[in-house]
Amino acid sequence: MTALRIQFLGGAGTVTGSKTLVEYNSKRILIDCGLFQGLKELRLQNWSEFPVDPKTIDALILTHAHLDHCGYIPVLVKNGFSGPIHCTKPTRELTEIILKDSAKIQVEDAERANRKSYSSHEKAKPLYKPEDVELAMTQFVSHDLSEWVLINNDMKFQFLNSGHILGSAFVDLKVADKKILFSGDIGRSNPMLLYPAKHINETDYLIMESTYGDRVHTCENVKNELLRIIYETTERNGILMIPSFAVERAQELIYLLYLLKEEGRLPEIPIYLDSPMGINSTGVYDHYPTWQNLPKTHFNEMYDDIHFIDNYETSRAVVNDKKPKIVLAGSGMLEGGRILHYLNNHIENPDNTILFCGFQAAGTRGRAILHGEQEIKFFGDYKKVKCHVESITSMSAHGDQQEMLDWMSKFKKAPKKVFLNHGEPHQTDTFRVKIKSTLKWEVVIPQLYESFHLDDE
Ligand SMILES: [Zn+2]
């Protein structure tokens, strides 16, 4: 069998669960191994049998450390996958942090479910545990950008910067005489901390994400908007609470605060990062200066004035303190983490502000507050939302429709076919129409589990 085939095992018709299988000459490799997240029907797919026997997969190539791209790896390993997991060096470090946190949450969720269900004939189990993550980490092999990695005689690949989060990369795969490029997630055209995505001249097949395939980010001045919100809150002697994702968003916010301080515009106010995962991730950023497009002094100084809270006692003291401050804490959508303690204590005070700087998914507390819900439940009690609610919408790590089209328009030759994944159906379809009308490229929207032969083109 020498047919070249790809199959979409996740990230098709949804932004989560990214997994694409490539088969050639009896060899199988998987690009990304993400967790399905969000709606229950999606999450349940994490529990169904994997469509191919993990033992038969020769290698896994990981584009970046986000859970929707790496979160299923421990399950794959637990079920017999024993091949190498290729990624960049920062991705390896960030993935370990993210998977350990994911395992911890799953264990806690299972324990909570078992406490709640008195008639439990079937005990809730975590999808994986910390020891499963430990085992998976032993299979990781990290590489530099632009380093060709041989998988076997027919297959090799290199990672190329995709500008999305620290360590994120395209996978430029060569199978026999065919080239397939996997975008993973693609960053903004001018990322705040990172270098922009590498321009690609040509590929035979492009597997392209479409998260913002139907949208263009608003063009607000993020730094000025942040400063306005800080001023208004400090004038009221209030606390500014910023729910923040631990990777990239927390570091971007800290960088903006640093720039404002350097410009002499930031009022005197203590800034806290109260997030163990945020602190650990910041440590990884600190390890990789050459990945970041920052002046050396900025890189060296940007974290100097931040109070890192790494223990529970300090966190509790800062939570109980009513003095003005800026707090960055997880989780980004208020589904857990220390931000809940801040909100539980300070959401009913109209002097305070909650500022959203990231996407808030349906069904989360974050979305409810953003949509004007008057009361929110924390730790079993309802609290009235009396504080100011603000949002900065343009801080996204994903390129928007125009930014993705700009990147694609730099190709010197049209790919034979583009497969759009990693998007909700309306985003993907809008993007398909746009690509067809502007670039005249052939675009396919794969369904979940759909496979394609790439030989006869
Ligand atoms: Zn991502």
Side-chain angles (χ1 to χ4, degrees):
M1 178 189 85
T2 54
L4 172 58
R5 194 178 81 104
I6 64 168
Q7 187 179 15
F8 294 85
L9 305 181
T14 158
V15 293
T16 68
S18 276
K19 297 175 200 81
T20 312
L21 187 74
V22 179
E23 285 182 325
Y24 182 75
N25 219 355
S26 310
K27 292 285 180 192
R28 284 180 164 160
I29 60 168
L30 193 62
I31 314 295
D32 285 336
C33 190
L35 203 64
F36 287 105
Q37 295 167 279
L39 299 171
K40 194 173 181 186
E41 63 187 62
L42 276 171
R43 282 184 281 121
L44 284 175
Q45 289 192 39
N46 294 320
W47 293 91
S48 44
E49 196 182 339
F50 200 63
V52 295
D53 181 355
K55 292 189 191 78
T56 65
I57 298 170
D58 298 277
L60 167 62
I61 309 176
L62 180 59
T63 60
H64 66 291
H66 275 150
L67 207 57
D68 57 329
H69 293 257
C70 74
Y72 190 79
I73 290 175
V75 184
L76 201 75
V77 170
K78 202 161 68 163
N79 291 330
F81 169 67
S82 61
I85 301 168
H86 300 284
C87 64
T88 65
K89 292 185 172 85
T91 294
R92 179 182 179 155
E93 289 192 43
L94 289 173
T95 301
E96 182 165 8
I97 293 168
I98 285 175
L99 289 181
K100 281 184 173 165
D101 182 71
S102 169
K104 189 172 141 250
I105 290 170
Q106 299 197 44
V107 170
E108 287 168 0
D109 283 353
E111 283 170 359
R112 193 175 307 121
N114 289 332
R115 272 201 306 274
K116 273 188 189 162
S117 69
Y118 301 104
S119 61
S120 65
H121 40 275
E122 218 179 300
K123 270 198 166 306
K125 282 193 210 126
L127 191 59
Y128 50 86
K129 297 178 184 168
E131 50 265 39
D132 300 316
V133 176
E134 300 274 347
L135 177 64
M137 291 315 298
T138 63
Q139 290 169 226
F140 276 64
V141 187
S142 51
H143 305 280
D144 291 323
L145 292 176
S146 306
E147 170 192 334
W148 280 102
V149 182
L150 292 176
I151 296 173
N152 55 48
N153 288 339
D154 300 312
M155 292 183 180
K156 64 175 182 176
F157 74 93
Q158 61 175 341
F159 286 119
L160 301 170
N161 175 43
S162 71
H164 168 61
I165 62 167
L166 185 71
S168 69
F170 303 139
V171 175
D172 181 19
L173 178 69
K174 268 200 95 172
V175 183
D177 60 345
K178 304 253 181 352
K179 284 191 201 177
I180 314 174
L181 189 92
F182 296 83
S183 76
D185 288 348
I186 184 165
R188 308 294 301 274
S189 45
N190 283 304
M192 201 182 296
L193 307 175
L194 308 173
Y195 290 94
K198 182 154 177 85
H199 293 154
I200 304 296
N201 286 334
E202 59 172 311
T203 188
D204 294 311
Y205 302 96
L206 172 63
I207 320 299
M208 179 76 193
E209 72 128 319
S210 54
T211 314
Y212 284 102
D214 63 341
R215 256 174 292 170
V216 176
H217 297 311
T218 52
C219 199
E220 60 193 347
N221 184 322
V222 173
K223 198 166 56 167
N224 287 345
E225 192 60 5
L226 178 63
L227 187 64
R228 172 189 68 77
I229 295 162
I230 293 171
Y231 259 105
E232 290 178 6
T233 309
T234 47
E235 269 173 20
R236 297 189 300 264
N237 270 325
I239 297 170
L240 176 57
M241 300 170 281
I242 312 181
S244 170
F245 301 106
V247 178
E248 204 73 20
R249 190 58 36 81
Q251 294 78 21
E252 287 180 340
L253 283 162
I254 289 170
Y255 188 52
L256 288 173
L257 292 166
Y258 166 77
L259 291 177
L260 287 168
K261 181 162 182 278
E262 281 299 290
E263 292 162 12
R265 298 202 283 163
L266 191 69
E268 275 297 323
I269 182 166
I271 303 167
Y272 296 93
L273 176 61
D274 190 354
S275 155
M277 190 158 64
I279 294 169
N280 289 338
S281 306
T282 301
V284 182
Y285 277 73
D286 210 35
H287 296 165
Y288 296 98
T290 58
W291 279 77
Q292 294 167 74
N293 188 12
L294 298 175
K296 207 165 175 212
T297 48
H298 290 193
F299 179 81
N300 289 338
E301 295 172 359
M302 65 183 275
Y303 299 105
D304 284 358
D305 289 326
I306 308 297
H307 300 276
F308 293 98
I309 303 181
D310 56 7
N311 67 74
Y312 187 68
E313 290 69 37
T314 315
S315 175
R316 197 154 56 178
V318 176
V319 165
N320 288 332
D321 172 54
K322 293 195 169 63
K323 286 204 272 299
K325 59 175 126 322
I326 298 172
V327 179
L328 280 66
S331 71
M333 299 188 205
L334 313 184
E335 286 305 278
R338 293 185 181 168
I339 191 73
L340 298 186
H341 295 279
Y342 288 92
L343 291 170
N344 190 37
N345 277 266
H346 303 296
I347 200 168
E348 295 197 318
N349 183 342
D351 294 337
N352 300 332
T353 305
I354 176 166
L355 167 60
F356 292 101
C357 296
F359 180 73
Q360 303 298 315
T364 61
R365 286 192 188 90
R367 172 75 73 97
I369 294 176
L370 203 53
H371 280 200
E373 199 75 55
Q374 298 292 303
E375 284 192 328
I376 302 286
K377 201 173 182 181
F378 297 102
F379 309 109
D381 285 328
Y382 280 95
K383 294 278 160 118
K384 289 201 161 51
V385 182
K386 289 186 181 165
C387 71
H388 289 247
V389 177
E390 296 272 4
S391 120
I392 293 178
T393 55
S394 63
M395 281 185 88
S396 171
H398 288 269
D400 64 17
Q401 187 195 67
Q402 193 53 49
E403 290 170 317
M404 289 192 287
L405 279 172
D406 287 347
W407 177 78
M408 293 163 96
S409 68
K410 305 251 171 33
F411 277 63
K412 299 225 162 74
K413 200 175 129 197
K416 287 177 188 164
K417 207 173 267 179
V418 180
F419 296 92
L420 290 184
N421 69 350
H422 203 284
E424 306 287 343
H426 60 280
Q427 296 154 351
T428 308
D429 201 53
T430 307
F431 197 34
R432 177 187 66 82
V433 172
K434 192 77 185 176
I435 295 169
K436 282 209 127 177
S437 63
T438 55
L439 299 169
K440 319 275 185 246
W441 291 2
E442 190 180 337
V443 185
V444 175
I445 299 177
Q447 302 297 306
L448 186 62
Y449 302 127
E450 196 173 2
S451 68
F452 298 84
H453 285 280
L454 304 182
D455 294 280
D456 325 309
E457 318 282 331

